[in-house]
Amino acid sequence: MAVKYPYSRCSAAVQRLRPRPVFMTRIRVLLLAALMTAVPMADAVARDLDQSRGQREEPRQRQAQPDQRISLAEAERSVRAGRPGRYLNASDRGNVIVVRWAYPDGRIADITVDARSGRIIGER
């Protein structure tokens, strides 16, 4: 003989209001607690990833410091990275260093490098 659920003959509105089993309430509480602990951990992991990315990228690009300037040789290395051609000369013009560069096709360009950070600003 099958046991009938007492609300089986009720309308849908009444069936939605039927009491939930206790284990369902416990599961909801446990899931809520797990989510509340996962959010701060995810934030901490994201911060750690950002810091480790910053540490990996720091050697590639020199951090700008107010009193330190790069040398002409460092400016040449910055220009040489990933650029075909040859170095002709460099001149220090205060806040920038201008590196004269000869491309393989014969074109000569003046490449402007920031004297503090070592980043390439422009090329003419």
Side-chain angles (χ1 to χ4, degrees), residues 10 12 20-21 29 32 46 48 62 83 100 105 111 121:
C10 299
R20 302 271 184 227
V29 169
L32 181 63
D48 287 344
R62 186 182 173 117
R83 191 178 305 261
R100 183 149 291 175
D105 61 358
I111 301 170
I121 298 173

Side-chain angles (χ1 to χ4, degrees), residues 11-89:
S11 68
V14 172
Q15 287 184 12
R16 271 187 259 132
L17 297 175
R18 68 181 184 260
R20 302 271 184 227
V22 175
F23 74 92
M24 290 293 287
T25 305
R26 289 181 185 159
I27 289 175
R28 286 183 184 165
V29 169
L30 289 173
L31 286 175
L32 181 63
L35 286 174
M36 289 174 62
T37 57
V39 170
M41 288 187 338
D43 185 42
V45 168
R47 266 189 268 119
D48 287 344
L49 284 174
D50 288 344
Q51 288 175 356
S52 66
R53 257 189 227 122
Q55 289 172 354
R56 276 185 268 145
E57 292 173 2
E58 187 176 333
R60 281 190 243 146
Q61 185 176 352
R62 186 182 173 117
Q63 294 294 326
Q65 295 177 357
D67 296 337
Q68 292 186 342
R69 298 171 45 87
I70 64 170
S71 67
L72 296 178
E74 287 175 311
E76 176 195 347
R77 271 186 251 123
S78 176
V79 170
R80 185 180 302 273
R83 191 178 305 261
R86 63 187 175 91
Y87 167 79
L88 295 177
N89 66 2

